[in-house]
Amino acid sequence: MRIIQASDYNDLSRKAANVIAAQVIIKPDCVLGLATGSTPLGTYKELIERYERGDLDFSCVKSVNLDEYRGLTKDNDQSYYYFMHNNLFKHINIHPENTNVPDGTEPDSHKECTRYEQIIQSLGGIDLQLLGLGHNGHIGFNEPDESFAPVTHCVNLTESTIDANKRFFASAGDVPRQAYTMGIGTIMKASRILLAVSGEDKAQILKDVVFGPVTPQVPASVLQLHKDVIVVADEAAMSKF
Ligand code: GLP
């Protein structure tokens, strides 16, 4: 793991955007794995600014998102499709047909997860996967478990994740109980992984991820086994190092 320390959230967003921008410049038709949550918002703003300045061209880029809530439609303002459209895609010149988010409205989870895994394969795999970190160590929606999930699958969200994400919904009761997510195996096949972590509330879990045992109880700890991981974290997130 390569660890890049940022002074604060803005610095983290710039540094994470630098890595993604470098990928897009070096390989204009790359496949970007993208993430949702609060952490990548600043990174996406930075990428939009660089696009507007004429420094980045997304016209040949393809994207695959990590996950989606099961049951939410694309026009639901809490769906990850909606998040990606509003926080990134509509502001840059990526072609909508080149963007992929699991379809939360497909009731047949096996069918949707198989379809999504095949999309990633047909694109030739992910060049750079951006990840945030859940408070319980989850990546995508891979919750702490007895084993590492190999492929895209349907998960039952843990109470801690529902609690962490309820801030975006009218009430905790409105947070979907299930999601479709890339598996740990899917994520680990990406050529390069960028993990962005911000805030003191993530300090203990980040320490566990980087220095603790590799265990499916801390899903992101598996990243220790990947050959090309960049962790960008701010001082607050690194305060327990
Ligand atoms: C959600 C997403 C994750 C994300 C996590 C952390 O649960 N499924 O992909 O990493 O939240 O989000 P935040 O960056 O808001 O802390």
Side-chain angles (χ1 to χ4, degrees):
M1 283 183 173
R2 270 181 291 165
I3 299 180
I4 300 176
Q5 183 169 348
S7 51
D8 56 18
Y9 179 73
N10 288 339
D11 190 34
L12 168 121
S13 300
R14 275 195 303 276
K15 287 178 160 65
N18 284 346
V19 176
I20 299 172
Q23 175 66 68
V24 172
I25 290 165
I26 289 166
K27 188 178 176 192
D29 61 347
C30 64
V31 178
L32 295 180
L34 297 176
T36 53
S38 331
T39 311
L41 279 173
T43 306
Y44 293 156
K45 280 203 184 97
E46 283 282 331
L47 292 175
I48 293 164
E49 279 171 31
R50 290 164 201 216
Y51 163 71
E52 287 171 346
R53 284 203 303 265
D55 290 336
L56 281 180
D57 175 12
F58 293 88
S59 61
C60 297
V61 169
K62 283 150 271 174
S63 73
V64 282
N65 259 78
L66 280 168
D67 47 12
E68 178 61 285
Y69 287 113
R70 190 176 188 196
L72 296 194
T73 55
K74 289 179 176 178
D75 59 354
N76 184 308
D77 63 4
Q78 292 311 324
S79 76
Y80 285 168
Y81 177 92
Y82 189 96
F83 175 102
M84 290 310 301
H85 182 71
N86 280 285
N87 291 304
L88 183 64
F89 298 154
K90 76 174 186 188
H91 303 287
I92 59 175
N93 66 337
I94 195 166
H95 292 291
E97 63 273 24
N98 285 343
T99 67
N100 298 280
V101 181
D103 180 1
T105 64
E106 170 55 61
D108 183 337
S109 62
H110 179 71
K111 184 177 164 197
E112 176 54 16
C113 294
T114 306
R115 182 191 74 87
Y116 203 68
E117 197 69 24
Q118 280 169 355
I119 287 176
I120 297 168
Q121 271 182 32
S122 70
L123 293 172
I126 299 165
D127 291 296
L128 174 65
Q129 176 66 57
L130 173 64
L131 298 175
L133 182 64
H135 289 94
N136 59 6
H138 76 220
I139 44 178
F141 266 134
N142 289 278
E143 300 282 34
D145 206 343
E146 297 303 313
S147 60
F148 292 114
V151 292
T152 303
H153 60 295
C154 182
V155 288
N156 296 319
L157 301 180
T158 62
E159 282 308 317
S160 79
T161 296
I162 291 166
D163 194 51
N165 290 358
K166 72 179 182 202
R167 66 191 194 274
F168 301 114
F169 292 81
S171 73
D174 292 326
V175 185
R177 266 40 194 173
Q178 290 186 312
Y180 296 148
T181 181
M182 283 185 199
I184 293 289
T186 325
I187 294 168
M188 289 293 279
K189 275 192 222 141
S191 303
R192 174 172 284 164
I193 293 174
L194 173 61
L195 176 68
V197 190
S198 170
E200 212 175 338
D201 54 324
K202 301 268 179 84
Q204 183 58 49
I205 193 66
L206 182 60
K207 187 180 174 196
D208 295 344
V209 165
V210 175
F211 298 112
V214 174
T215 163
Q217 293 299 332
V218 181
S221 64
V222 76
L223 299 175
Q224 292 178 32
L225 305 179
H226 192 281
K227 65 180 187 336
D228 193 353
V229 174
I230 300 172
V231 179
V232 184
D234 59 19
E235 271 177 22
M238 288 178 67
S239 57
K240 289 197 192 289
F241 273 35

